[in-house]
Amino acid sequence: MATHAALSWATRQWALWSRALAPVRPLDAPRGRATEWDASWPLPRDTASAGRARRLVTAQLSEWALTDLAETAELLVSEVVTNALRHTRGPLRLNLRVRDARLTCEVEDTESAGPLRRVVDTEAEGGRGTELLDLLADAWGSTETPTGKTIWFELRAEAAPVVVAAAGSGHATR
């Protein structure tokens, strides 16, 4: 029995190590998940990327028949992408995923430090990203990754989504 337990432990450890050491897909490429409920796009380090991210989110949510989430998702994605552009270096990637009537939006970057909460003057033009996430998202957080971190948020859909168009923008992973 001890040999079986040790073998089982060794097998689990090998599986964990092999996943941890597997090649990481670079952020300048879409994430490699292939389902009709996952979409992923690399974003260039450019001030226009926040606008591009808004357009990608709106188009993908329309394809998934989740237009009730579009306005909130667009605002929050814009905020998270803008913060990544301001406070990190290196490539970015935007990921969308739908599971069980919940939309998860992620922005991956190469900086491991998570978002900071600041006390912001009422007349300040910025610094309210975490407040917006607190107010509008059902859940949000930051997860450290092998390449940096992922800032994510979730929104609950009112109805189960459906794919309404067979051909998307060409950027969603299928």
Side-chain angles (χ1 to χ4, degrees):
M1 281 259 226
T3 307
H4 177 69
L7 180 60
S8 179
W9 178 85
T11 303
R12 284 192 310 270
Q13 292 302 313
W14 178 84
L16 288 171
W17 275 106
S18 66
R19 271 183 277 167
L21 298 175
V24 177
R25 191 148 176 100
L27 294 181
D28 59 357
R31 190 162 57 183
R33 293 189 177 152
T35 77
E36 64 184 335
W37 301 109
D38 292 289
S40 181
W41 305 269
L43 297 173
R45 293 207 58 80
D46 185 296
T47 55
S49 285
R52 180 171 188 260
R54 288 191 300 270
R55 289 186 300 278
L56 291 168
V57 166
T58 301
Q60 189 63 57
L61 293 181
S62 177
E63 183 177 322
W64 286 337
L66 289 172
T67 54
D68 60 313
L69 299 179
E71 189 175 322
T72 303
E74 186 180 0
L75 172 64
L76 294 177
V77 161
S78 181
E79 181 65 35
V80 174
V81 169
T82 299
N83 284 344
L85 289 167
R86 283 186 182 159
H87 302 291
T88 70
R89 297 176 188 210
L92 306 173
R93 181 168 44 215
L94 170 63
N95 306 308
L96 301 179
R97 178 176 61 249
V98 176
R99 300 288 185 275
D100 301 322
R102 294 186 74 77
L103 170 69
T104 302
C105 300
E106 303 172 333
V107 175
E108 297 178 79
D109 63 52
T110 58
E111 176 63 45
S112 61
L116 298 175
R117 289 189 181 268
R118 295 188 269 163
V119 176
V120 181
D121 183 73
T122 56
E123 301 203 15
E125 291 184 19
R128 292 186 183 81
T130 56
E131 290 178 29
L132 284 173
L133 287 164
D134 284 341
L135 289 170
L136 300 174
D138 292 311
W140 73 273
S142 176
T143 305
E144 198 169 323
T145 66
T147 57
K149 73 171 170 310
T150 299
I151 302 292
W152 59 269
F153 64 87
E154 288 185 347
L155 299 173
R156 191 172 321 117
E158 292 179 19
V162 295
V163 175
V164 296
S169 61
H171 300 287
T173 55
R174 298 280 182 215

